[in-house]
Amino acid sequence: MNSIQCHLTSPRWTSCDLPGGSGHLRGAAWLNGQRLSTSEAVTLADPAAGIDPWRNRLSELNGFHALVRRDETGLVAMVDRIRSIPLFYGVAAGDMFLSDDADWVRARVGEESMNEEARADFELAGYVTGRDTLFRRVKQLRAGEALVVRDGDMGPVLDLERYFLFHYHGASDRDDTHRRVRLEAVVEDAFRRLVKMAGGRQIVVPLSGGHDSRLVATMLARLGYPNVLTYAYGHRGNREAEVSRAVAGRLGLPWVFVEYSQTAWREVATTDDYWEYQQWASGWNSITNMQDWLAVKLLTERGDVEPGSVFVPGHCCVTGFLPSPVFEAGREGRLMPAGDLGNELRERHFMLRAGAEGKARFQEHVLPRLARAHPLEEALTADDFIREFVLFGWQERQAKFIVNTVRSFEFFGHDWWMPLYDRDFMAFWQDVPRDWLEGRGGYVAFVERVFGELSGCDTPLGNAAQTSRQSLRARLLRMAAFRRGPGARMKRIAKRLLPALARGNTTASAGRFPPETFERLKARGYSHNGVAARIFLERFS
């Protein structure tokens, strides 16, 4: 085993001895309603009895975890179905390297320059697609994937096995009454697992104005969990925070507010912690979603959050990104035209840089990569289109960008859990009719109902986060014409007349960036996250 080197850096790993080796578990693996010990989990991950039964065993695991098993036959490593705890690997000069630290792998394989195609992914989407990272010989395990390594005569032999894919199957039956009952049971089971895992520790809920975190807060109140703190953040008076406070009040849950300002962001944006976090959390494959980072930092420093707390964000597998034409095609019984899948993937995922330059970069560097993994040139049925679109969103944006925000909780010493990525909850949404996915209609109706029943609120509060994104200001700022020439002058006048506009977006996080750089990149078609991606690349290239 001299050709295989394993380097696990987090103190959160637990270990056990195996015959001729050792096993390592990070996070919590559950099976049949019971939490597995480290030795139970790594024993289950042994593929000696055959690949198919081994894959089936892995697919039955619930929870959020990564596993590494090493013995005289080789090495096995796996990440869970949402890649909540990433693992990276690389091969150089006959040696194989595995770690939870992407930069350690980069140093071992001797990579110094970023790959141009991967940079294009990163610049346009905020993450690198597939198994790649920004460095060519540094790879990552994808969501629902395991790696089996054996010693060979010519060096290590690597086999990658996908034990889970979040495929949309659809549903032919119309028994929505039974489906709603089953959804409620699945959700309750998922939150009972959370309660059991938390074991009385404080549960901290980032409570936005949207439906996902509202469901988290509602279920904790419904189950009577005794130690919950909810919070919101942003500039004072923002609509999302107002809805958040109203939800917490209706549920009888404690609520605190963390005020953001461009000044507060500027103060932290020059600190070592700020840049060390971004480099570490990126895994050289994703920008870090910084909006929670400042709140977690301040809540921790203020003492609002108890030591050992469990943060429970509303990250959810039910996508709201599906384009409306696919539902129209399904109702009319026609195919989605060839090429539409690539166009819609770009519109939903690769628009951190808009305009002609962004489109040219997408077509030259990104589109060929997508075509190798998805049927971009085929006319697709509505269900096949949804299947490919949901698959991409799950294994790319959700696993690499959305879920990766849990690194901010870890960075400040806290634990986390994501009940809306529970195994059974995800399985439910693989088998729903199309109309349940249109505008997340089935899901939104469920959240509004359970919240209304518990809170006594008869009037739906809606989704303040979505309303905010669709505001007039947001629409204007997305228009290239508003960022150039006369539009720039209009913007300066508007900022003087409208103080809320001067604060920037809800999180006031434009203060993270040097003002001249921010305005220059916005004028070139970069979105807010696009600016973050470009500055990251410039700093770490």
Side-chain angles (χ1 to χ4, degrees):
M1 296 298 293
N2 292 334
S3 64
I4 301 175
Q5 298 184 36
C6 182
H7 180 66
L8 302 176
T9 64
S10 172
R12 297 170 182 263
W13 289 94
T14 58
S15 302
C16 68
D17 293 329
L18 296 173
S22 60
H24 311 275
L25 169 68
R26 184 176 160 196
W30 292 64
L31 183 65
N32 299 325
Q34 299 298 317
R35 182 172 180 172
L36 301 180
S37 67
T38 300
S39 60
E40 289 170 334
V42 297
T43 298
L44 181 145
D46 184 0
I51 291 297
D52 287 342
W54 168 75
R55 247 194 322 250
N56 291 337
R57 289 196 304 272
L58 295 183
S59 70
E60 292 169 358
L61 289 176
N62 207 343
F64 305 98
H65 48 265
L67 284 168
V68 177
R69 174 190 174 92
R70 189 174 181 184
D71 58 27
E72 65 275 2
T73 67
L75 178 143
V76 175
M78 60 89 71
V79 296
D80 60 35
R81 63 190 55 240
I82 195 60
R83 186 190 166 275
S84 65
I85 300 170
L87 288 174
F88 307 92
Y89 63 97
V91 177
D95 292 328
M96 184 270 178
F97 306 94
L98 176 84
S99 182
D100 55 357
D101 181 352
D103 198 54
W104 181 85
V105 177
R106 180 201 61 78
R108 293 306 177 278
V109 300
E111 286 282 4
E112 297 294 336
S113 299
M114 294 181 180
N115 176 271
E116 186 59 30
E117 286 189 353
R119 283 178 61 103
D121 266 3
F122 193 94
E123 183 180 354
L124 297 177
Y127 46 80
V128 183
T129 58
R131 296 188 181 103
D132 293 332
T133 68
L134 285 167
F135 295 94
R136 183 176 58 85
R137 289 188 291 174
V138 180
K139 304 298 182 183
Q140 58 183 313
L141 288 180
R142 295 180 296 177
E145 190 166 61
L147 169 68
V148 180
V149 187
R150 308 290 186 201
D151 264 336
D153 294 337
M154 304 298 291
V157 178
L158 281 64
D159 290 314
L160 289 152
E161 297 286 346
R162 209 73 185 271
Y163 68 86
F164 173 77
L165 288 170
F166 190 50
H167 272 153
Y168 173 67
H169 304 138
S172 57
D173 71 275
R174 300 303 307 170
D175 188 356
D176 280 353
T177 300
H178 175 72
R179 189 171 286 110
R180 283 189 286 268
V181 171
R182 188 157 58 90
L183 174 58
E184 189 154 0
V186 165
V187 169
E188 181 153 327
D189 285 348
F191 278 86
R192 289 194 182 280
R193 273 186 281 277
L194 163 63
V195 166
K196 188 174 182 180
M197 191 279 304
R201 290 180 290 168
Q202 183 187 45
I203 290 179
V204 184
V205 181
L207 185 59
S208 72
H211 291 103
D212 301 324
S213 60
R214 190 177 311 166
L215 179 58
V216 172
T218 299
M219 293 305 299
L220 289 170
R222 178 168 156 173
L223 293 175
Y225 194 80
N227 191 3
V228 177
L229 174 69
T230 68
Y231 72 90
Y233 51 76
H235 61 70
R236 188 163 297 279
N238 75 80
R239 172 62 177 158
E240 290 186 56
E242 291 174 357
V243 172
S244 170
R245 180 170 58 182
V247 167
R250 288 279 189 173
L251 296 173
L253 297 175
W255 182 86
V256 295
F257 179 70
V258 182
E259 184 172 2
Y260 282 10
S261 68
Q262 295 197 22
T263 299
W265 276 113
R266 278 193 288 271
E267 289 175 355
V268 299
T270 57
T271 64
D272 290 341
D273 273 359
Y274 175 84
W275 287 109
E276 286 171 7
Y277 171 73
Q278 289 196 65
Q279 188 270 307
W280 166 74
S282 76
W284 294 129
N285 80 96
S286 170
I287 60 171
T288 50
N289 190 339
M290 294 293 292
Q291 63 184 32
D292 277 293
W293 186 86
L294 183 57
V296 179
K297 171 182 168 65
L298 296 175
L299 287 169
T300 303
E301 291 173 350
R302 283 170 14 184
D304 291 316
V305 177
E306 298 172 4
S309 293
V310 182
F311 277 71
V312 183
H315 302 332
C316 180
C317 66
V318 188
T319 179
F321 269 32
L322 284 162
S324 57
V326 71
F327 298 104
E328 297 166 8
R331 284 189 287 268
E332 296 169 9
R334 56 180 172 82
L335 298 177
M336 291 291 288
D340 273 20
L341 179 60
N343 293 336
E344 292 292 352
L345 286 175
R346 175 176 179 259
E347 289 295 321
R348 304 288 171 155
H349 294 282
F350 293 92
M351 291 296 286
L352 297 194
R353 185 180 185 184
E357 292 182 1
K359 184 175 182 179
R361 193 150 172 77
F362 173 82
Q363 291 176 335
E364 180 181 359
H365 294 287
V366 177
L367 197 59
R369 288 165 60 86
L370 293 180
R372 292 194 289 269
H374 300 276
L376 302 187
E377 299 306 318
E378 297 179 21
L380 300 171
T381 67
D383 282 355
D384 285 342
F385 186 101
I386 291 173
R387 186 173 300 112
E388 293 293 331
F389 200 90
V390 167
L391 176 67
F392 180 92
W394 157 73
Q395 70 182 7
E396 305 297 350
R397 182 177 184 271
Q398 292 183 37
K400 295 171 183 174
F401 178 63
I402 299 299
V403 168
N404 202 45
T405 60
V406 300
R407 304 282 86 80
S408 65
F409 311 138
E410 292 176 7
F411 189 75
F412 294 104
H414 307 299
D415 205 350
W416 50 266
W417 198 257
M418 295 179 289
L420 303 184
Y421 279 114
D422 182 90
R423 174 187 183 272
D424 297 338
F425 183 76
M426 291 182 72
F428 175 89
W429 290 101
Q430 290 178 273
D431 296 302
V432 296
R434 279 195 304 271
D435 62 299
W436 274 52
L437 296 179
E438 187 170 10
R440 304 210 304 173
Y443 174 73
V444 170
F446 170 76
V447 176
E448 294 284 9
R449 179 177 65 80
V450 295
F451 173 72
E453 289 174 352
L454 189 65
S455 67
C457 181
D458 297 328
T459 304
L461 295 177
N463 186 341
Q466 186 178 48
T467 303
S468 175
R469 287 192 298 271
Q470 293 174 346
S471 68
L472 174 62
R473 176 191 170 274
R475 291 197 299 271
L476 287 173
L477 290 177
R478 290 191 187 103
M479 294 171 59
F482 192 71
R483 299 188 186 118
R484 298 181 176 91
R489 291 191 293 275
M490 290 171 59
K491 185 176 177 182
R492 288 193 293 270
I493 294 170
K495 282 184 175 181
R496 289 197 296 269
L497 297 176
L498 301 172
L501 184 62
R503 287 194 293 259
N505 62 5
T506 298
T507 60
S509 55
R512 292 171 51 198
F513 312 118
E516 291 184 3
T517 302
F518 181 73
E519 293 298 336
R520 172 175 57 83
L521 292 176
K522 293 286 278 189
R524 293 177 59 191
Y526 286 90
S527 69
H528 195 94
N529 279 337
V531 173
R534 182 59 184 260
I535 290 177
F536 181 96
L537 291 171
E538 291 175 355
R539 183 178 182 91
F540 292 109
S541 289

